Amino acid sequence: MEIMTPEGLALEMTLAGIGSRAVAAILDALIIIGATIGFGFVVSISGLAESLPAAIIAFALWNLLVLAYFPLFETLNSGQTPGKRRAGIQVVRADGGPVSFLPVLIRNLVRIIDFLPMLYGVGLVVMFASKNNQRLGDLAAGTVVVKRAGGQDPMLAPRLPPATSVPVTGWDVTAVSKEEVGVIRRFLDRRATLQQGPRAALAAQLYEQVSPKVTRPPDAPQGERFLEIVAAIKTGHA
């Protein structure tokens, strides 16, 4: 899938297929089933089951937590449930940006329809018909599911380096515009979803564009590390 940023940069993302999404769904289902069995065991040995009102309240709260499983993980974990993380896929916006709570909530509310009549029957049909492997929930929320480039986990690749690791001495990024910093930040946000070739090409293009405007020490890094430092200094993370 290729998208164009407002700055005219072409970003390529590899869409997750039905196989990898099925693996993720099975793993998430096993986690939920295992947790439910464990919860039932705890309720039974704690004595809550002996009180019908207490048991009803406990299981009602548990059902709410089960329903919140997908929205919570996908919102707080960069579009990944534990199953998606293990399968090497993640949910992103259709423009390649990270997902927020509202689209995650929408795609998971529509999951009920996608699941019909059983085992995501509707969702599979829609995915086969969709150009970008989107089920109804994705179409409604404006999201796609993509593979992580080279299996890289976005949680292990921070968008900006820690402040203590940014060498600000000898750096002057005054000439770098806000628009250029915005482009750099968008690239850093999306790089984990890009294949290695397009990712390296975009990093090189941005480096060549911004490098002449930056004063830095002779031993300063290049490529993505250079972009990270420039973005960190310009956005006050250094």
Side-chain angles (χ1 to χ4, degrees):
M1 175 181 175
E2 183 177 283
I3 61 174
M4 294 295 297
T5 69
E7 298 78 21
L9 296 176
L11 300 179
E12 292 183 357
M13 299 183 293
T14 301
L15 296 168
I18 292 176
S20 57
R21 294 180 69 166
V23 169
I26 292 171
L27 291 175
D28 285 324
L30 291 175
I31 291 173
I32 292 173
I33 292 171
T36 301
I37 293 174
F39 175 78
F41 177 75
V42 171
V43 169
S44 64
I45 65 174
S46 65
L48 287 175
E50 298 177 1
S51 170
L52 183 59
I56 291 174
I57 293 174
F59 279 99
L61 291 175
W62 178 254
N63 286 327
L64 288 176
L65 288 175
V66 169
L67 292 174
Y69 175 90
F70 287 96
L72 282 178
F73 272 111
E74 290 179 357
T75 301
L76 301 176
N77 200 32
S78 300
Q80 293 179 298
T81 59
K84 286 185 175 68
R85 183 172 183 176
R86 186 67 177 176
I89 61 177
Q90 68 181 127
V91 182
V92 298
R93 295 199 315 258
D95 64 358
V99 289
S100 56
F101 175 71
L102 183 58
V104 163
L105 179 62
I106 293 173
R107 77 184 301 273
N108 283 290
L109 287 176
V110 183
R111 183 185 298 274
I112 300 172
I113 301 176
D114 279 313
F115 193 82
L116 297 175
M118 61 174 58
L119 300 177
Y120 290 96
V122 171
L124 287 173
V125 171
V126 176
M127 284 178 65
F128 274 118
S130 170
K131 179 179 68 173
N132 294 322
N133 293 350
Q134 294 168 290
R135 60 176 178 82
L136 280 178
D138 290 315
L139 292 172
T143 58
V144 292
V145 181
V146 300
K147 292 183 179 180
R148 297 198 307 265
Q152 182 178 3
D153 189 339
M155 298 303 291
L156 302 179
R159 297 170 187 171
L160 288 178
T164 55
S165 68
V166 178
V168 296
T169 303
W171 287 76
D172 183 357
V173 297
T174 307
V176 180
S177 68
K178 292 182 179 180
E179 291 74 17
E180 289 170 327
V181 174
V183 175
I184 292 173
R185 286 302 305 269
R186 278 188 284 276
F187 165 74
L188 295 176
D189 285 348
R190 296 165 174 167
R191 59 181 167 172
T193 67
L194 302 176
Q195 293 300 305
Q196 190 58 41
R199 174 172 171 170
L202 281 172
Q205 180 180 345
L206 290 173
Y207 175 80
E208 291 176 2
Q209 176 181 341
V210 176
S211 178
K213 300 182 178 182
V214 177
T215 301
R216 70 273 197 189
D219 59 346
Q222 301 180 5
E224 289 188 24
R225 179 58 177 165
F226 170 86
L227 298 175
E228 288 177 347
I229 294 173
V230 171
I233 295 175
K234 289 292 287 188
T235 55
H237 286 74

